[in-house]
Amino acid sequence: MNRFNLLTGAAVAACLSTLAAPAAAQNERMFDIPPGALGEALTAFATQADQQILFTPQLVDGLRSPGVNGRLAPYEALDRLLEGSGLEGRQIRPGVFALRRAAPEPVTELEALVVTGTLLVSSGDLASPVVTMDRDELDRRGYGTVAEVLAAMPQNYAGTSTPLTQATGADVGTSNNVYATGVNLRGLGPSATLVLVNGRRLAGTGSRAEFADISALPSAAVERVDVLLDGASALYGADAVAGVVNVIMRRAYHGHESRLRVAAAQGGAEDVQLSHLAGRRWGSGSAYLSYEHQSANGLSASDRAYTADGDLRPFGGTDRRSFYSAPGNIVAFDPATSAYQVLWGIRPAPGGTAQGPEDFAAGDANLQSPRLGVDLLPALERHSAYGQVRQTLGERLELSADLRYSRRKTENATVPAAGVFTVTQANPWFVSPTGAAAHSVAYSFVRDLGPAQNHALSESIGGTLGARYDLPAGWLLEGYVAEAVERADYGVSNRVNATFLAEALGNVPDNPATPFRAEVDGYFNLFGDGAANSPAVLEFIGSGYGQVSNRSRASAANLMVQGPLWRLPAGDLKVALGAQVRSEAFETRGETFLAGIEPRLMATPERERSVTAVFAEARVPLVAPAEGRPGVRALDLSLAARQEAYDDFGSTTNPKVGIVWEPVEGLGVRASWGTSFRAGALPQLFDQQGVSPAFLSRADGSEALILMVYGGNPDLRPETSETFTAGFDYRSAGGSSLSVNLFETRFDDRIAQPVNANFEGALIDPTLSPFVTLIDPANNPADLALVEGYADTPGFSPAFPAESYGAIVDTRWVNTGAVRVRGLDLTARHSWPLQSGDLALETAASWIIDYESRATPAAPAEQVAGLLGYPVRLRARTGLSWSGDGVDLGAYWNHVAAYEDRAGTRIDPWDTLDARVAWRPVSGPLDGLSVELAVQNLFDEAPPFYDSPTGFGFDAGQASLLGRIVSLHLIKRW
């Protein structure tokens, strides 16, 4: 942590020093430019200031300048020359000014040098496809955060690493315990998509730090988002397997911008976001600070009919309720079927507790949803801040520093405690319908204690110090040091302590080490209706909890030089050469109090990895437009390679080759090939082993209690991939565009949890048999010993007798067989002038042609495109919008194609309509104000029904259960 404190202190010092730097930091010069034509004045300015100024002749045609005389800094002289012209000059890098029309609002400077998909400046069209969403486009989507925009992209699969999939149990990976939002391009896993901020890495989040949390960034400070839909380890190193998301923050801002967004869905999930951005620009630099606050209410499962009680029969599904209920059921374990059978349903008398044989129903089970009363979305509160400062020193050197911070707290109700418990005549509440001396009771504590309560805290901080120096002959030297730290704390309370429960049931004598005395404080009543126990008893048995704290860190130092190496007939051969050193670290600490009289401590010591890399990229112009070759207006070749050496398993080299061909003006054809690479995340290698009970269906329809084993695998090999893309981009002179991209990605040794891809079918799917051990501990002493051997493993629950388990299922990380994904992306836009504005039609779609996966190297290939848990065949978004006279109108159709669950049952397509209207006065006292009213899912289309084993009748990976969401967004620029 000392290194990070040092970096933070340096960044703060840099901010303070540059904010205090005088405008005269640029060398003042003597100017003597008489009034006259602006073009001539600017030419004289460039000579006298020894500065380069970029503008087109059309921009200054017919304009005049008042001239300037005296000793001034170059930027001051330029401002005076431009007075009254409607133009403004901005320093885009040391020694270089660019001219443009003055904006009618405070100025935002774009990051001119950050081009995702290449390391080179001004490299032209790219060989790899990149989707770019600027600030206006992000606002037009109608969402509150950049994370929500990315989650809705057609190329993204939102079935993992989102708050909704975590809360509903759809994300069986269960690493997202702080309800973060990751990006999962092509459905290849969130760890296969590299997320950057201004080209710098983030620390990982969640219980395994395997993906970056895009929701931690203040959206108001984001200038644009670039999504590179291609493997890019040759450029960015490991993890850039499925693609890269690069969030570009605003380079500079002058003025103030305030934002307020209020949104709500029916029944809850109210969301309020408030942000403010303040910045200042001076001639030699700039600084700004952005703060954002978000507060959102949760949404209970009881607020939606298809998630309320687990009985999905009214919707054409199955009754997913179980016999773990309140009132409970007397059960017996059947060794022949390795399953519990309900003998009697407990039906308490009007007093709230069973008193005799007449209060039992033979063979008639009480049924209840295992997820009764849980929240489908957590309540959250988030604070995010981002600050940046830039300062030019002299003519060639620019220094920069940025600092970001986020703190998010979530709370939600989750699955209540339940289990099978033995009770005897020692308990004064005991009653038997048969006169037996003891019974096993299946019971849920939801009506006694309520659901368990989750609480999570995610805190991240990161900083960067950078420098850029203009070398002679057009070369550029730049470097940075960066560090990011992520804290992910998770806890669950209101859980049953099994040791205390045994004492409260009277199954063991009063323990003098506890303050509880059953004969004084009362016995726990398993024969009641869920409201038959005293507060003292409930406080005692419900004192169980668990909590864990994860820390991850990522740091890097990068140095790169780039420029024109040789002058070729078609132009400059540009190269970039660089080196990088980075490190990653992760540690876990926690405690559980689910059994015993003292909390059990657990810890995974800090694991650290260091990586050194050298990399290079070249852009080779083969044909230039000036050569006038028919059918080959331009032709460029791009080459890149990166070698990385890891201190824990070795080195890897990844190349990338691309070609860009322009047969005629406006049409570009491109293709790229490369390899990518990802080492297992540190927790995937070294995570502590744990176990957890769960229920899975057998082939005959019965349910088996299984012991799920999870944890790290130190024998993991790195996964490698090969990516190929080809496509074309057409842009007409009128602004219409069409982009088509064919992609194919092949994985070898993919790091995954095969069982989690079909966890509910683990006992049925033959491809998962290598990970399933069927056991019969009721009749086989060796199997009983195997189960009892896990008794001291974190997560083992004494709520279920060891004899009742029917299988052990291994969900740990392994290297699976090959994976191949092939598909097609399409984006198009066309506009027409209409009235006093423009009418535009645009569409974006992603079509998965093939998605083949092997659970193990020896398993047959399985076609999983359009299968539950994977991307659907087609996702698309098509919109029609009109803008003019300060008004924007838009309607957008979202389509998710039909797909199937593992049983072959069709899940219908989901089609929704979004609409928005925005008003921005172009003059007058309200100038700078923007008002937007947006409605997502205008017609309140329910998600397609899915007969989920969880009892929630929808698939959280492909649809939202919120229904119609109405939002009002106000933006005021000062």
Side-chain angles (χ1 to χ4, degrees):
M1 199 68 181
N2 291 335
R3 284 188 295 166
F4 185 71
N5 288 337
L6 179 62
L7 173 63
T8 304
V12 172
C15 291
L16 293 176
S17 65
T18 52
L19 285 170
Q26 286 191 347
N27 295 331
E28 292 184 347
R29 294 178 179 269
M30 188 64 194
F31 291 92
D32 184 10
I33 303 174
L38 180 58
E40 296 177 1
L42 293 173
T43 301
F45 166 81
T47 301
Q48 296 181 22
D50 193 21
Q51 304 278 316
Q52 184 179 6
I53 184 164
L54 308 176
F55 62 92
T56 62
Q58 295 84 357
L59 190 64
V60 300
D61 187 31
L63 298 179
R64 295 187 61 81
S65 169
V68 64
N69 184 272
R71 179 170 292 277
L72 299 166
Y75 80 93
E76 293 177 315
L78 182 59
D79 285 347
R80 295 190 186 185
L81 288 175
L82 298 175
E83 284 181 6
S85 68
L87 304 178
E88 60 185 8
R90 289 291 175 263
Q91 187 176 39
I92 60 174
R93 58 191 177 100
V96 181
F97 287 86
L99 216 61
R100 67 180 182 183
R101 297 195 184 279
E105 59 192 40
V107 175
T108 297
E109 268 186 59
L110 299 181
E111 175 54 83
L113 296 184
V114 177
V115 180
T116 306
T118 180
L119 305 174
L120 296 167
V121 178
S122 302
S123 59
D125 290 339
L126 301 180
S128 298
V130 178
V131 175
T132 296
M133 293 175 282
D134 62 15
R135 179 71 261 172
D136 289 340
E137 175 64 19
L138 294 171
D139 288 338
R140 282 196 298 268
R141 294 299 177 100
Y143 294 101
T145 65
V146 169
E148 292 174 298
V149 174
L150 290 169
M153 280 187 65
Q155 296 87 355
N156 182 68
Y157 173 56
T160 61
S161 307
T162 68
L164 181 60
T165 56
Q166 176 69 16
T168 59
D171 186 355
V172 291
T174 63
S175 67
N176 189 19
N177 56 10
V178 292
Y179 298 88
T181 302
V183 184
N184 185 358
L185 293 176
R186 314 297 189 197
L188 293 172
S191 60
T193 299
L194 178 62
V195 176
L196 307 172
V197 174
N198 292 336
R200 279 65 157 161
R201 289 175 177 252
L202 302 174
T205 192
S207 61
R208 288 193 292 267
E210 61 183 324
F211 68 94
D213 181 12
I214 204 78
S215 67
L217 301 173
S219 296
V222 174
E223 180 57 42
R224 76 176 197 269
V225 178
D226 293 342
V227 182
L228 176 65
L229 298 170
D230 193 7
S233 286
L235 298 172
Y236 300 107
D239 307 333
V241 178
V244 178
V245 173
N246 193 7
V247 181
I248 311 298
M249 312 303 284
R250 300 188 195 228
R251 176 177 170 86
Y253 195 85
H254 192 77
H256 295 263
E257 180 184 270
S258 301
R259 291 171 174 254
L260 172 65
R261 181 181 185 271
V262 181
Q266 182 179 356
E270 297 86 0
D271 189 335
V272 178
Q273 295 178 49
L274 179 65
S275 68
H276 187 76
L277 172 69
R280 179 173 177 265
R281 181 184 61 82
W282 54 95
S284 58
S286 62
Y288 74 86
L289 180 65
S290 175
Y291 167 76
E292 186 170 270
H293 175 258
Q294 180 182 13
S295 179
N297 294 331
L299 181 70
S300 173
S302 61
D303 291 329
R304 295 293 184 268
Y306 38 90
T307 61
D309 62 6
D311 187 358
L312 301 180
R313 291 175 297 177
F315 310 100
T318 307
D319 189 351
R320 299 295 185 176
R321 296 176 298 173
S322 76
F323 52 73
Y324 296 90
S325 61
N329 297 283
I330 294 178
V331 298
F333 185 75
D334 183 359
T337 61
S338 297
Y340 281 104
Q341 305 294 327
V342 174
L343 303 180
W344 302 84
I346 302 174
R347 304 294 166 82
T353 185
Q355 299 177 359
E358 66 277 6
D359 295 328
F360 297 85
D364 189 6
N366 298 315
L367 299 177
Q368 179 179 294
S369 170
R371 298 174 181 268
L372 187 67
V374 306
D375 287 332
L376 299 172
L377 282 175
L380 73 85
E381 184 174 11
R382 174 176 60 90
H383 302 269
S384 298
Y386 179 83
Q388 186 182 106
V389 61
R390 295 177 181 271
Q391 178 65 55
T392 299
L393 300 178
E395 302 295 328
R396 298 183 178 273
L397 177 63
E398 181 185 76
L399 302 179
S400 62
D402 63 45
L403 193 64
R404 54 181 171 78
Y405 174 78
S406 176
R407 178 185 175 90
R408 183 182 63 249
K409 293 178 63 178
T410 60
E411 296 180 353
N412 64 297
T414 188
V415 180
V420 175
F421 308 98
T422 300
V423 61
T424 71
Q425 292 177 340
N427 186 308
W429 298 107
F430 178 84
V431 60
S432 171
T434 62
H439 282 300
S440 294
V441 178
Y443 192 80
S444 169
F445 294 87
V446 65
R447 303 191 191 280
D448 299 280
L449 300 173
Q453 297 296 318
N454 280 355
H455 50 89
L457 171 66
S458 176
E459 191 171 28
S460 63
I461 187 169
T464 304
L465 291 174
R468 188 176 65 198
Y469 187 78
D470 276 12
L471 297 169
W475 283 77
L476 177 66
L477 176 67
E478 56 184 331
Y480 67 84
V481 293
E483 186 150 356
V485 175
E486 182 89 17
R487 170 189 172 193
D489 294 346
Y490 168 81
V492 58
S493 59
N494 206 34
R495 294 292 301 275
V496 171
N497 181 298
T499 301
F500 293 174
L501 177 62
E503 184 177 348
L505 287 172
N507 294 342
V508 297
D510 282 337
N511 190 335
T514 70
F516 186 81
R517 296 293 179 268
E519 292 186 357
V520 176
D521 298 312
Y523 289 83
F524 187 82
N525 182 3
L526 279 177
F527 297 88
D529 59 4
N533 290 288
S534 69
V537 174
L538 297 179
E539 181 180 2
F540 180 58
I541 69 164
S543 59
Y545 66 88
Q547 59 187 32
V548 63
S549 179
N550 302 296
R551 299 290 188 277
S552 66
R553 173 176 50 82
S555 59
N558 196 89
L559 186 65
M560 184 178 70
V561 62
Q562 62 172 294
L565 185 60
W566 291 308
R567 181 67 181 179
L568 301 178
D572 289 333
L573 187 158
K574 296 182 178 180
V575 298
L577 304 171
Q580 184 182 82
V581 178
R582 74 173 192 270
S583 66
E584 304 167 356
F586 182 82
E587 64 176 324
T588 298
R589 299 182 182 277
E591 62 182 53
T592 62
F593 193 40
L594 302 179
I597 61 174
E598 295 290 341
R600 177 177 179 173
L601 302 180
M602 55 183 181
T604 300
E606 184 179 65
R607 301 284 185 170
E608 188 171 5
R609 151 190 298 161
S610 63
V611 186
T612 58
V614 291
F615 52 90
E617 184 184 6
R619 178 83 175 213
V620 186
L622 302 177
V623 178
E627 298 181 44
R629 297 188 183 185
V632 187
R633 185 174 183 273
L635 184 64
D636 285 1
L637 176 69
S638 62
L639 304 168
R642 185 183 184 104
Q643 184 182 54
E644 292 193 327
Y646 286 68
D647 65 350
D648 53 355
F649 67 82
S651 62
T652 177
T653 301
N654 291 278
K656 185 167 186 176
V657 180
I659 190 165
V660 179
W661 166 42
E662 188 179 357
V664 295
E665 186 174 3
L667 176 63
V669 181
R670 49 179 167 69
S672 69
W673 170 88
T675 65
S676 293
F677 160 89
R678 187 179 78 87
L682 292 171
Q684 291 174 338
L685 294 166
F686 304 112
D687 204 9
Q688 186 178 28
Q689 182 172 296
V691 295
S692 177
F695 288 92
L696 294 179
S697 297
R698 296 188 179 93
D700 62 3
S702 64
E703 281 199 338
L705 176 66
I706 65 101
L707 194 64
M708 181 177 70
V709 181
Y710 57 87
N713 180 359
D715 297 325
L716 285 178
R717 299 182 303 277
E719 65 182 17
T720 59
S721 71
E722 184 177 353
T723 305
F724 171 77
T725 67
F728 68 86
D729 302 291
Y730 170 74
R731 305 178 188 92
S732 73
S736 298
S737 63
L738 172 65
S739 178
V740 177
N741 178 61
L742 177 69
F743 63 89
E744 181 173 5
T745 300
R746 296 174 179 266
F747 271 93
D748 286 318
D749 288 331
R750 186 187 178 194
I751 298 171
Q753 298 166 293
V755 172
N756 284 349
N758 185 21
F759 182 72
E760 299 297 337
L763 302 184
I764 303 171
D765 189 342
T767 64
L768 300 179
S769 59
F771 309 102
V772 177
T773 302
L774 299 177
I775 57 175
D776 185 12
N779 299 301
N780 188 327
D783 289 347
L784 180 61
L786 181 62
V787 174
E788 291 177 339
Y790 286 101
D792 292 330
T793 303
F796 186 84
S797 174
F800 303 95
E803 294 83 0
S804 61
Y805 287 93
I808 297 175
V809 179
D810 192 343
T811 68
R812 288 176 292 185
W813 297 93
V814 296
N815 290 104
T816 66
V819 173
R820 186 185 72 149
V821 182
R822 186 163 57 98
L824 190 71
D825 295 326
L826 180 144
T827 59
R829 188 180 191 278
H830 184 70
S831 61
W832 306 266
L834 180 66
Q835 299 296 327
S836 57
D838 290 310
L839 180 68
L841 176 66
E842 55 189 342
T843 187
S846 183
W847 175 36
I848 302 295
I849 301 172
D850 289 309
Y851 194 133
E852 294 181 353
S853 178
R854 298 178 187 268
T856 66
E862 181 184 15
Q863 179 59 251
V864 297
L867 185 66
L868 181 76
Y870 294 90
V872 296
R873 292 280 187 180
L874 177 66
R875 286 178 62 100
R877 177 181 171 89
T878 301
L880 187 66
S881 60
W882 179 87
S883 60
D885 295 331
V887 176
D888 283 337
L889 304 173
Y892 308 89
W893 168 57
N894 307 289
H895 174 69
V896 178
Y899 56 110
E900 295 181 349
D901 64 13
R902 289 280 177 171
T905 303
R906 184 177 189 265
I907 301 174
D908 290 335
W910 194 43
D911 294 285
T912 60
L913 186 70
D914 300 341
R916 64 181 292 272
V917 55
W919 174 59
R920 178 184 293 181
V922 294
S923 61
L926 296 180
D927 185 23
L929 174 67
S930 176
V931 182
E932 177 187 270
L933 178 66
V935 183
Q936 297 168 31
N937 194 355
L938 179 65
F939 297 116
D940 199 23
E941 290 290 333
F945 176 72
Y946 161 50
D947 192 12
S948 170
T950 64
F952 296 151
F954 80 108
D955 174 19
Q958 301 290 2
S960 170
L961 78 169
L962 290 177
R964 183 187 299 113
I965 303 173
V966 180
S967 64
L968 178 65
H969 195 180
L970 304 177
I971 304 174
K972 173 61 178 175
R973 297 179 175 92
W974 310 84

